[in-house]
Structures are given as C-alpha cells and as structure tokens.
Amino acid sequence: MAPRAAPLAAAEVREVRLPLKEPFVTGFGTTDTRRSALVHITDAEGREGWGEAAALDHPFYLPDTTSGSLAVMAEWALPLALSVGTDPRKVARALSRIRGNTFARAGVEAAFWCLEAERRQSSLADLFAGESDAKDGSPRRRAIAVGESIGIHETVEGTLAEVRLRLDEGYRRIKLKIKPGWDVAVVKAVREEVGAEVMVQVDANASYSLAEEDITRLLQLDAFSLSCIEQPLGWDDVLGHAELQRRLQTPICLDESLRSVSDLRRALSLAACRNVNLKPGRVGGMAASIEIHDLCRDSSLPLWCGGMLESGIGRAFNIALASLPGFTEPADMSPAAVLYHFDLVDPTYEVAPDGSIAVPTTPGLGFPVDVDRVDDTTLRCVKVAPPA
Ligand code: OSB
Ligand code: MG
C-alpha cells in the first residue's frame, strides 16, 4: 500500500528565459529567444514536483506559445489539478477537459508525476514503465540512443561540419531541417559525406505543399535512403500527408499533426504516416504519451522521442519516456550544453561516446534542479493557492 498522500502546500508557475547559444533555424522560421514555462509544486511533507510546458515563444510551430501556456496553467490547469488531489492519473483525467493547450496540460501533469516518483522513491522511468499496457512487455532500456536535430545553416559546408562533429561525438542519427530550396542539395551532400550506413532523416516543419514543384523536390529525396521525412505538409493536413505517402517511398513521420491519441488513430487509419515523433508536450502529457507508445508498440510502428529544446527539467521526462521499449529509433535529445549557456539542472545529462544517455535510476526527476539558476532566469512567477 502506498502511504496516504500529503496535501499540497504550495504551487506556482514561472516563466524562465534560457539564453540559446545559437538561433535555431527551421522551416517555420528562426527561434532566437527561448522562454519556457515551469511548474513547481510542494507538498506538506516538503516533497517537490517540477514540470515544464515547453511551447515555443512564438506561434509558428503550433498555436501554443510560452505566454499562452503560462496563462492557461495559472488560470485553469493548475487550479483544476489542485481540485482533484495529487494522483497524476486523476490529474491527467481532470485536465482532459481543457481543449488544445497541450503544452500547458503536459507541464502541470508532469509536476504531479515528478511528485509521485518522489513519494514512491521511484525513478520516473520505472514509474512510466509500470503505466504501460503494451502487449509485449519487454523491460525498459537502461540507456537511450540519441540523434541531433541540425538547424538550417547558411552553407552546405557549415552543415557538413556540424554533421561530422556530432558523428565524431557518437550521435546515432542525423536529422536535417529542410525547407523548399534547402533540401535536395544538402541531403545529397550529407549522404555522400556520411556514407550509406549512417541513419539520416529530414524535418520540413510543414513548409511544403502539394503543388507539383514541391512534390517534385520531395520525390527526389527518395534517392537518399532517409529513415523518414518529418511533417512535410501543413501542421493540420493529415489528408494531404496520406496523399503524399501514397506517392513517396520514404516513410512520412508526423510531428505537428499528432496532438492526441485520436490524431494518431486517424493518421493510421488514413495511412498518413509510417513513423511517429512523440513529444509529451505536443500530445498533452505523459498519460497520453504512454497510450501512444502502447499503440505504436502494438502496431509495430517505428517510434522515437522528439524534443522542444526543453531545459533539463523537461528533458528529464523525455529521457524517462524514451526508455520504454516501444521507442525504436534515436531521440532528439541534444544536451543543454549544445543548446544553452547553462542548464536548469546540475549536473545535467551527457551523451556518452557511444551516442547514448544513461536513464537515471535515482528517485524523482532524476536530476537535481538548480534553484538559484531557476531564480536567476525567472521573468515572472505566479503563485496558485492550493485548496484550503
Ligand atoms: O520540429 O522537431 C521539431 C525544436 C523545437 C520545435 C520543433 C522541433 C524542434 C527540434 C529540436 O527539431 C529537437 C530538440 O529538442 O533537440
Ligand atoms: Mg519536427
């Protein structure tokens, strides 16, 4: 029997600013500032839960933004969660009343999973493994495989230099951001540089259309043995992806278009993708993520964990999730050391020479939150009163 849960004593959301080392350039534009929204809860026994709602600052990837997520968490998601107690499953069910706003829901839910892990003295990874119902219940992994998502560079030579660097560091897969005009030539150059064996894929972030000139470019990519083409068409265009997948040999991977379990069911029934990028924030939290994992596992669908340039707080959940056995391909999990001047957890994780990240076995989040750094980077903090 789990001990009776102590009530919550404090809850707050914070907006933090993380200085990016370099702007991240993609098919949806340039991300040069990174604000993120954190959730912090504390129970009457002093145990803590942390979560991160990792929407981007701007609405050019998906409708969610940092400011919007912060407001929804403070006004709706956190009060709703606080009204049902502290069981993360109950919190997830309560939050499912909120339409859209997946990053806000995921951030709040995450804090309750973290608190639950603290209480049970369990790692997040073991907690999530216990929640999975996949029919093939293989054990979770001790380490996860990592790839890098490489932004659009000014030159092909610049891209090749970053590709070489990451492969030398052991990364197991290269993902190139593409857009119309920055596609066939850079992919050809990278494939020639790395040879046939290295796993290469591309991510268009919804920058192509079904116009013939765009299709012609995408069909040319079939020559380079890519493991997938991620989200070539509009963020909500599932039918378009189904039409494109009929013409394309390379598997289509959906990112932006999968924002719930039912989105994935629809995409599968329309044969709109053959590969899945799963981000907990994009699908509304860990409970939904585990359900999607189980569906992919039971349908033998290639699955990998995507990223939102989270701080180490958000990445901790991604690492634990990606340890589940249904994740068959390397995760987008470049460490904070690559993306930021510092992380909000210390020590943060590292990529080992074999291109893997060890999954923490310590109870709770698995990484110590650096509270001073959180304070130093906080732009605003909103306290939400727990029910009396
Ligand atoms: O499309 O996968 C994407 C980052 C922010 C928003 C969208 C995407 C990305 C990435 C980076 O590709 C992955 C990472 O977090 O390392
Ligand atoms: Mg993507």
Side-chain angles (χ1 to χ4, degrees):
M1 268 292 283
R4 231 184 96 79
L8 281 196
E12 64 185 25
V13 296
R14 281 170 185 256
E15 179 178 13
V16 293
R17 195 183 150 276
L18 299 170
L20 271 170
K21 280 187 174 168
E22 306 211 358
F24 190 59
V25 184
T26 74
F28 58 71
T30 300
T31 301
D32 48 14
T33 68
R34 184 77 180 99
R35 292 177 291 122
S36 198
L38 303 181
V39 183
H40 185 208
I41 55 176
T42 311
D43 76 7
E45 283 161 0
R47 293 197 189 85
E48 293 176 277
W50 287 91
E52 179 170 358
L56 297 183
D57 294 32
H58 53 73
F60 306 134
Y61 163 68
L62 280 175
D64 305 60
T65 61
T66 310
S67 304
S69 301
L70 198 86
V72 169
M73 291 199 296
E75 290 175 33
W76 302 103
L78 205 41
L80 254 180
L82 293 174
S83 72
V84 296
T86 57
D87 177 347
R89 293 159 216 80
K90 283 193 189 150
V91 166
R93 271 199 298 278
L95 294 180
S96 68
R97 268 183 75 195
I98 296 178
R99 311 302 192 217
N101 290 288
T102 58
F103 290 92
R105 282 193 268 141
V108 168
E109 192 197 318
F112 287 86
W113 285 110
C114 180
L115 180 67
E116 179 77 358
E118 284 284 343
R119 285 176 172 171
R120 291 208 217 163
Q121 288 294 292
S122 159
S123 66
L124 281 180
D126 285 337
L127 193 58
F128 297 156
E131 296 292 314
S132 169
D133 291 327
K135 289 189 191 72
D136 169 7
S138 312
R140 71 167 182 82
R141 300 197 171 84
R142 307 277 138 199
I144 63 161
V146 181
E148 175 169 61
S149 173
I150 299 184
I152 293 170
H153 281 251
E154 307 237 312
T155 62
V156 171
E157 201 31 66
T159 304
L160 292 178
E162 188 167 351
V163 167
R164 276 190 295 264
L165 174 68
R166 295 310 169 210
L167 293 179
D168 287 346
E169 288 176 347
Y171 284 63
R172 308 254 190 107
R173 182 221 66 200
I174 295 297
K175 160 169 149 181
L176 301 170
K177 292 290 192 180
I178 59 165
K179 64 179 181 183
W182 180 265
D183 42 27
V184 181
V186 70
V187 170
K188 181 168 190 287
V190 167
R191 180 52 89 199
E192 279 167 6
E193 172 75 23
V194 305
E197 298 303 312
V198 172
M199 188 175 177
V200 180
Q201 65 192 58
V202 295
D203 184 359
N205 285 111
S207 57
Y208 291 77
S209 72
L210 284 172
E212 259 334 289
E213 54 178 300
D214 278 6
I215 302 263
T216 305
R217 290 182 173 283
L218 293 170
L219 291 179
Q220 286 180 64
L221 295 178
D222 270 342
F224 305 110
S225 309
L226 301 175
S227 33
C228 66
I229 299 182
E230 189 178 336
Q231 196 74 33
L233 305 177
W235 66 284
D236 59 352
D237 190 5
V238 177
L239 270 186
H241 283 99
E243 189 178 330
L244 181 62
Q245 184 68 91
R246 284 193 287 277
R247 300 178 63 179
L248 210 56
Q249 280 165 30
T250 308
I252 289 178
C253 169
L254 291 179
D255 174 1
E256 285 88 327
S257 289
L258 300 178
R259 303 173 68 208
S260 63
V261 183
S262 62
D263 278 353
L264 176 58
R265 290 191 197 284
R266 176 168 40 230
L268 293 182
S269 82
L270 292 169
C273 69
R274 297 182 192 149
N275 183 299
V276 173
N277 169 333
L278 175 51
K279 301 178 182 177
R282 202 198 58 225
V283 302
M286 299 308 314
S289 296
I290 294 166
E291 227 183 292
I292 288 175
H293 161 271
D294 292 358
L295 180 58
C296 290
R297 180 89 176 148
D298 293 340
S299 338
S300 301
L301 197 61
L303 172 69
W304 51 283
C305 181
M308 288 298 299
L309 311 172
E310 295 91 344
S311 78
I313 295 175
R315 292 287 216 216
F317 293 87
N318 296 3
I319 291 170
L321 179 68
S323 76
L324 298 181
F327 284 86
T328 54
E329 297 185 356
D332 275 351
M333 202 75 76
S334 303
V338 169
L339 302 171
Y340 296 109
H341 291 294
F342 52 80
D343 200 354
L344 299 180
V345 298
D346 193 10
T348 183
Y349 63 90
E350 277 168 19
V351 178
D354 70 348
S356 72
I357 295 170
V359 178
T361 52
T362 42
L365 189 68
F367 299 93
V369 174
D370 186 329
V371 180
D372 290 334
R373 269 195 210 142
V374 170
D375 279 338
D376 289 346
T377 51
T378 295
L379 300 174
R380 44 183 170 150
C381 176
V382 182
K383 299 205 183 295
V384 178

